[in-house]
């Protein structure tokens, strides 16, 4: 869709009814982080509120958002609202423009119009009720512009990777370098080593198409990475001292928040510097965009672990293959790997609390499935069941990025199952496989390689066109430029009322764990009472999973655990 040229462009558009509030203001998920939006929603839901009061409140709240949300600009045309991204001319209005070098690039000389117009947009939602479509929210469509704000010889670009490893990092680095070099003629490109800390504590690495030619065939990142180390003032000082004017930041939720802080400081100092975010998370928990790079590769590689668990389980009496996959807050990898495998009997994700005891509980289902088939496979996301693994230490401990450190749900669940079958004097052969670090460290597959190429090239086009403080990604299959604050305000989680989760339940025939919260409370209270009568050492042993001599980690990082419970004569 293209917004008409007569559209009103302003930072503080004033709706006149509750229904005209853009999605970013009316979404209930945003209220906790942005209290001023509660005032907007309350005011506009009052039927007799005067227009002038609405105008004052809207402008005041939009002004706050200009500070908190990096000045998301709204372009309004009728019921359509474009959530636009910042541009260099917002604080440097007199910048000159130049014809795009792509006019002279043989790859773009086929006669087709490759350039996107300033009014080309992508719809946030494509499925709406026909009788009440409401306000439609749009993002700016990504692509090359016919006018650019940098000459090739004046560009000094840098690339940095932050956070955990993910398949595809090297591909994104390679395509940023090759895209700048081959499409726009940029020759001054270098990498920042070791994450954000590298801006002020490490030397830079010169990058060119020759030295990044085959890095996409390797896992990890050639630039190195780290968590934490973000010091906005030091980073922007380094950017200014080195003469950098394009910064490409590859990372997840926390990294993108850091990119937003860098953009705000750059804008405050009035620097001609683009800050472009490339969203990365193997868990697929970044909101707004369709998916994150590395996710497809992770699901594909998880199949190998599930297949191994299934083979082990079906080869022995009462065999259980237990596989722990990534997913701190979102269970997408576990869900898609389960659907792809069709060998999984039970999938546990953070979004669905589960309980052990009673009718419809995990123990009941495991016993039924073992009685029917003689074996089963369980897939559990790392963030599932943390409310059951009750430990005060787990709440306090956090990594350098501020993420809560989780206890090993896989070891905890395997111990619980073994204890139950030992108590019942029944045989149980359980193998526990944790392929987490194998999956993170592999190269990206073909689908992710193509996806990483698109992300990198669209990011370059946006930076050359003068946009800043944005991240790039596909929305409903079309790539667009999204304000950084939109992808960091909440996490993308599995919608358990969606058809995809229903498909999984119909595939595994697992319990839906109705009334799980109530059951969990009862189980925790019962465990607390039983722990109170045990010696301190015994209580610790019950709550904290510990490795035994039967657990061992091989060179591939897979933990195998095999402790068959013995029958008592």
């Amino acid at each position: 869709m293209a917004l008409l040229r007569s559209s009103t462009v302003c930072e503080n558009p004033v709706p006149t009814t509750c229904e005209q509030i853009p999605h970013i203001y009316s979404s209930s998920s945003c209220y906790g982080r942005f209290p001023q939006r509660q005032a907007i929603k309350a005011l506009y839901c009052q039927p007799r509120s005067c227009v002038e009061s609405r105008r004052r409140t809207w402008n005041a709240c939009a002004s706050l958002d200009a500070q908190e949300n990096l000045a998301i600009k709204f372009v309004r045309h009728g019921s359509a609202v474009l959530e636009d991204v910042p541009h260099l001319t917002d604080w440097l209005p007199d910048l000159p423009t130049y014809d795009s070098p792509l006019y002279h690039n043989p790859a773009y000389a086929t006669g087709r119009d490759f350039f996107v117009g300033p009014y080309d947009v992508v719809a946030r939602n494509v499925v709406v009720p026909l009788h009440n479509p409401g306000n439609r929210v749009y993002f700016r469509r990504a692509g090359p512009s016919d006018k650019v704000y940098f000459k090739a010889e004046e560009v000094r670009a840098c690339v940095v990777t932050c956070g955990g490893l993910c398949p595809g990092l090297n591909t994104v680095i390679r395509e940023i370098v090759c895209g700048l070099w081959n499409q726009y003629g940029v020759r001054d490109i270098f990498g920042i080593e070791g994450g954000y800390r590298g801006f002020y504590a490490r030397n830079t690495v010169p990058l060119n198409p020759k030295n990044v030619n085959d890095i996409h065939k390797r896992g990890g990142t050639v630039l190195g990475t780290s968590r934490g180390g973000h010091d906005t003032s030091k980073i922007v000082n380094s950017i200014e001292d080195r003469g950098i004017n394009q910064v490409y930041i590859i990372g997840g939720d926390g990294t993108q928040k850091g990119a937003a802080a860098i953009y705000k400081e750059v804008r405050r100092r009035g620097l001609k510097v683009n800050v472009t975010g490339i969203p990365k998370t193997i868990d697929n928990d970044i909101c707004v965009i369709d998916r994150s790079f590395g996710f497809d590769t992770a699901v594909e590689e998880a199949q190998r672990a599930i297949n191994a668990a299934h083979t082990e389980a079906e080869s022995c009496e009462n065999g259980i293959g237990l596989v722990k996959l990534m997913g701190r807050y979102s269970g997408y990898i576990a869900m898609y790997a389960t659907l792809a495998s069709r060998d999984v009997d039970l999938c546990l994700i953070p979004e669905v609390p589960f309980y052990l005891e009673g009718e419809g509980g995990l123990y009941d289902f495991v016993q039924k499935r073992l009685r029917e088939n003689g074996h089963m496979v369980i897939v559990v996301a790392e963030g599932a069941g943390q409310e059951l693994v009750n430990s005060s230490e787990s709440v306090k401990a956090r990594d350098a990025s501020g993420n809560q450190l989780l206890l090993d749900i896989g070891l905890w669940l395997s111990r619980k199952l073994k204890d139950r079958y030992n108590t019942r004097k029944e045989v149980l052969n359980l193998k526990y496989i944790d392929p987490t670090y194998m999956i993170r460290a592999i190269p990206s597959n073909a689908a992710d390689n193509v996806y990483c190429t698109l992300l990198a090239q669209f990011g370059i086009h946006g930076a050359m066109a003068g946009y800043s403080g944005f991240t790039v990604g596909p929305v409903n299959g079309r790539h667009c430029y999204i304000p950084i604050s939109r992808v960091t305000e909440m996490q993308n989680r599995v919608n358990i009322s969606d058809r995809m989760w229903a498909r999984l339940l119909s595939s595994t025939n697992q319990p839906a764990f109705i009334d799980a919260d109530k059951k969990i409370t009862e189980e925790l209270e019962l465990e607390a009472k039983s722990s109170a009568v045990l010696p301190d050492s015994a209580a610790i042993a019950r709550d904290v999973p510990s490795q035994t001599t039967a657990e061992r980690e091989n060179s591939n990082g897979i933990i195998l655990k095999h402790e068959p419970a013995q029958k008592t004569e």
Side-chain angles (χ1 to χ4, degrees), residues 5 18 24 55 144 153 184 204 337 350 446 460 491 523 526 533:
R5 292 180 182 271
C18 179
I24 190 170
R55 187 183 304 276
E153 58 270 21
Y184 288 97
T204 59
I460 293 168
Q491 288 180 315
E523 288 182 12
L526 181 62
V533 300

Side-chain angles (χ1 to χ4, degrees), residues 46 90 93 129 143 159 208 224 231 235 237 256 286 345 359 368 372 405 412 414 448 458 471 477 491 543 560:
Q46 294 294 325
D90 293 341
V159 186
N208 57 66
D231 187 317
I235 291 172
N237 286 343
Q256 297 304 317
I286 291 182
D345 299 277
E359 183 178 356
K368 184 186 301 182
E372 293 172 353
L405 294 177
W412 180 86
S414 64
D448 270 328
F458 282 126
T471 189
Q491 288 180 315
D543 287 337
L560 300 176

